[in-house]
Amino acid sequence: MVLSLLAGCSTESKTQSNEGSSTPSGGKAKEPVTIRFLTHGMDSNYNWKDTIPAFEKKFPDIKIDLVQLSDKGDTAEANKKLDLAASSGETMDVLMLTDPASFAKRVALGIAAPMDDFIAKEGFKVSEEYKVDTLLNGKYYALPTKLTPWYVVLNKDHLDQAGLKVPTDWTWDEFRDYAKKLTKGEGPTKRYGAFFHGPTDGGFMEFMKLELGNQSDNMEFLRADGTSNLDSPLFKKTLELYLKMEKEDKSLTPYDERISQKLHYRPAFFNQTTSMVLMGSWFTSELGGTDQFPLNFNVAVAPYPKNAPGDPSGYAPYITDYMAIAASSKHKEEAYKFIRWYTTEGQIVQGKQIPSWSKVKPEEMGKIVEVILSKTKNPEKVDKASITNVMTGYKSGKSIPPVTYQAEINKAINEEFELLIFGKQDIDTMIKKSKDRVQKLIDTNKK
């Protein structure tokens, strides 16, 4: 499967490779250009040890200097170090940014350069070549890598003990019911039915959009026309679901414990202190267990829940990594070649994530899932069919490009949510204050 996919893009890649290594007739071969690539990604999740040599073999005139900004894959730490590197004038050529807000913020700061000229020269449409359209302010500052729609990861042993089936199509009400039935015990040894990893310091804001997330349109805090979407009843329903699960059902790991103890979804799931984790499908590359988190139980995956039984299935939020050329780079052409390769056939070579590249057909998804899981410690404990069904059935809603002040919007909503979850204001007050703060940001940033 991998070879056939690579063969399918051989014509384009061969052209790129020849362009990169050609020399004037009779001239001396150029010295390889080294480009500096800054990323949050660890090798366990991104397989750099195989991916980068594969690129350098195909493009011998370009060498990659990999700079890992966090030794634990922490995106917040990586972003801070990236900004410090930019402000201190460090050499940077290729940047990996992990979410729309981080991407938009670095564009606004002038750290990323547009790549429209390179795209036009190559002659393709990003919206056709990739399943994620990264257009921002009318320009392309990045190309997408993985396609990681959100799904629900389940401890199948816990489901079996509770007499519950692996859902193939379900609602948020059913998700809540599962969480209640899976919750067990009290005190320090209590097992919670579900774990929400956000919001966290303005990040993982998907947890503030739970019931917005399974729509074909208007899935974000802002609408496509730039107006606030916080008056959507689905925003209020999300907050109500969060509060009911934590305060009434006590089936959700408490927010204050998660923040104060810096709890993380990986140990919560693999240590079996929770039965269900709602997370992006980048988690697939770890589901069979890793050196850090061994797997001692059976795992299955369910689709992102929908709001009502009659709603269409398959819609879910998604996350991608944004590969950008540093504005300060002196080797922008070489940086673009690496980005273009990495976001297409490089994703297949990496074998860790579902690619955003449109040339990967739905029927090939099962093989890709198998390859990804085969690199984990105990792939036999993972229900591969459940993952394949979820990934194959995924539908991408209309993409709304992030605004350059997205991080400020996220921070404002996160702060108001904390006052809500700590009992210092009610839902209606939180929504009003959030709407007021977001509207002020919209007005301030109008051109």
Side-chain angles (χ1 to χ4, degrees):
M1 181 279 302
V2 172
L3 291 175
S4 68
L5 281 174
L6 294 179
C9 61
S10 62
T11 303
E12 175 190 44
S13 299
K14 185 176 179 182
T15 302
Q16 290 182 344
S17 182
N18 289 341
E19 286 176 355
S21 59
S22 62
T23 57
S25 179
K28 293 181 180 179
K30 292 188 215 175
E31 286 293 318
V33 169
T34 297
I35 58 175
R36 204 158 183 255
F37 171 36
L38 283 69
T39 175
H40 71 288
M42 303 180 296
D43 191 74
S44 59
N45 295 331
Y46 287 84
N47 192 22
W48 299 126
K49 69 182 188 315
D50 293 326
T51 307
I52 288 176
F55 171 79
E56 292 176 338
K57 183 178 180 181
K58 194 174 189 72
F59 295 84
D61 56 332
I62 304 174
K63 300 297 180 187
I64 305 297
D65 177 15
L66 176 68
V67 181
Q68 293 172 284
L69 297 170
S70 172
D71 59 7
K72 53 184 181 293
D74 186 304
T75 55
E77 178 188 7
N79 284 336
K80 287 176 184 176
K81 288 185 178 178
L82 173 61
D83 292 343
L84 181 62
S87 63
S88 61
E90 282 188 31
T91 300
M92 303 191 302
D93 297 294
V94 175
L95 315 173
M96 177 183 278
L97 299 162
T98 62
D99 63 85
S102 298
F103 164 55
K105 180 179 179 181
R106 273 75 200 177
V107 169
L109 292 171
I111 295 175
M115 57 178 70
D116 300 75
D117 289 346
F118 293 116
I119 293 170
K121 185 177 179 181
E122 199 177 341
F124 68 91
K125 289 185 178 180
V126 174
S127 59
E128 294 176 359
E129 185 78 357
Y130 299 93
K131 293 179 181 178
V132 177
D133 192 349
T134 52
L135 188 71
L136 179 62
N137 297 338
K139 293 183 179 181
Y140 284 103
Y141 292 90
L143 293 178
T145 60
K146 61 192 178 185
L147 177 67
T148 53
W150 284 56
Y151 57 23
V152 181
V153 183
L154 309 159
N155 183 317
K156 195 169 182 301
D157 290 1
H158 290 177
L159 259 67
D160 291 343
Q161 291 162 15
L164 298 170
K165 294 181 179 179
V166 176
T168 56
D169 185 35
W170 59 341
T171 64
W172 284 113
D173 285 342
E174 290 171 313
F175 175 86
R176 180 186 172 192
D177 185 56
Y178 265 55
K180 283 193 285 187
K181 290 176 178 175
L182 290 166
T183 299
K184 189 176 181 181
E186 292 294 338
T189 61
K190 180 174 180 176
R191 184 185 82 199
Y192 290 94
F195 183 97
F196 287 170
H197 192 60
T200 307
D201 193 25
F204 282 93
M205 295 302 288
E206 288 81 5
F207 292 95
M208 294 287 89
K209 298 179 284 191
L210 295 175
E211 301 205 23
L212 287 162
N214 59 357
Q215 305 299 297
S216 61
D217 200 3
N218 291 326
M219 304 163 69
E220 304 295 336
F221 295 135
L222 298 185
R223 300 184 182 95
D225 61 3
T227 59
S228 172
N229 194 31
L230 298 186
D231 55 1
S232 168
L234 298 179
F235 178 55
K236 184 174 183 177
K237 285 188 69 178
T238 293
L239 300 174
E240 289 173 340
L241 175 69
Y242 208 122
L243 281 182
K244 286 174 182 175
M245 291 184 66
E246 178 171 328
K247 305 298 185 184
E248 292 181 23
D249 305 341
K250 302 191 185 305
S251 63
L252 185 65
T253 304
Y255 183 88
D256 61 343
E257 286 184 22
R258 185 170 60 78
I259 297 300
S260 63
Q261 299 176 32
K262 297 182 179 179
L263 302 179
H264 194 278
Y265 67 89
R266 287 185 179 94
F269 184 69
F270 286 109
N271 294 339
Q272 303 192 66
T273 57
T274 189
S275 301
M276 299 192 298
V277 170
L278 178 66
M279 191 42 61
S281 52
W282 65 77
F283 203 13
T284 304
S285 65
E286 303 171 58
L287 289 187
T290 62
D291 288 335
Q292 188 177 8
F293 296 109
L295 177 64
N296 299 308
F297 53 92
N298 293 295
V299 174
V301 166
Y304 191 86
K306 55 190 187 181
N307 297 338
D311 288 353
S313 301
Y315 289 109
Y318 64 83
I319 286 179
T320 190
D321 287 325
Y322 296 81
M323 294 290 285
I325 301 172
S328 61
S329 173
K330 295 179 181 177
H331 303 292
K332 288 185 173 65
E333 184 174 354
E334 290 83 358
Y336 173 77
K337 284 182 179 179
F338 174 61
I339 290 172
R340 185 74 172 109
W341 178 88
Y342 177 69
T343 58
T344 54
E345 62 183 279
Q347 290 295 286
I348 308 299
V349 172
Q350 185 185 76
K352 284 285 187 178
Q353 305 290 355
I354 304 297
S356 176
W357 190 28
S358 295
K359 298 248 171 68
V360 179
K361 298 176 182 178
E363 58 266 27
E364 295 166 328
M365 199 67 73
K367 290 290 185 183
I368 293 174
V369 169
E370 222 170 277
V371 169
I372 292 170
L373 289 174
S374 70
K375 299 180 181 181
T376 62
K377 295 293 183 182
N378 294 101
E380 74 283 355
K381 291 183 176 293
V382 182
D383 183 348
K384 301 177 185 66
S386 68
I387 301 175
T388 303
N389 289 339
V390 169
M391 300 305 296
T392 303
Y394 171 70
K395 300 182 184 77
S396 177
K398 292 180 183 176
S399 177
I400 298 176
V403 291
T404 54
Y405 53 96
Q406 187 69 51
E408 296 173 74
I409 290 176
N410 292 352
K411 183 174 183 288
I413 295 172
N414 198 155
E415 288 174 352
E416 296 302 330
F417 172 75
E418 285 205 342
L419 293 175
L420 170 68
I421 204 74
F422 292 147
K424 296 180 180 178
Q425 64 184 10
D426 60 25
I427 286 181
D428 290 333
T429 304
M430 182 214 157
I431 292 174
K432 183 182 184 306
K433 288 173 65 181
S434 297
K435 285 170 67 175
D436 290 346
R437 291 181 67 177
V438 169
Q439 190 59 51
K440 187 175 181 181
L441 288 167
I442 293 171
D443 295 340
T444 301
N445 286 276
K446 277 182 180 175
K447 293 182 180 179

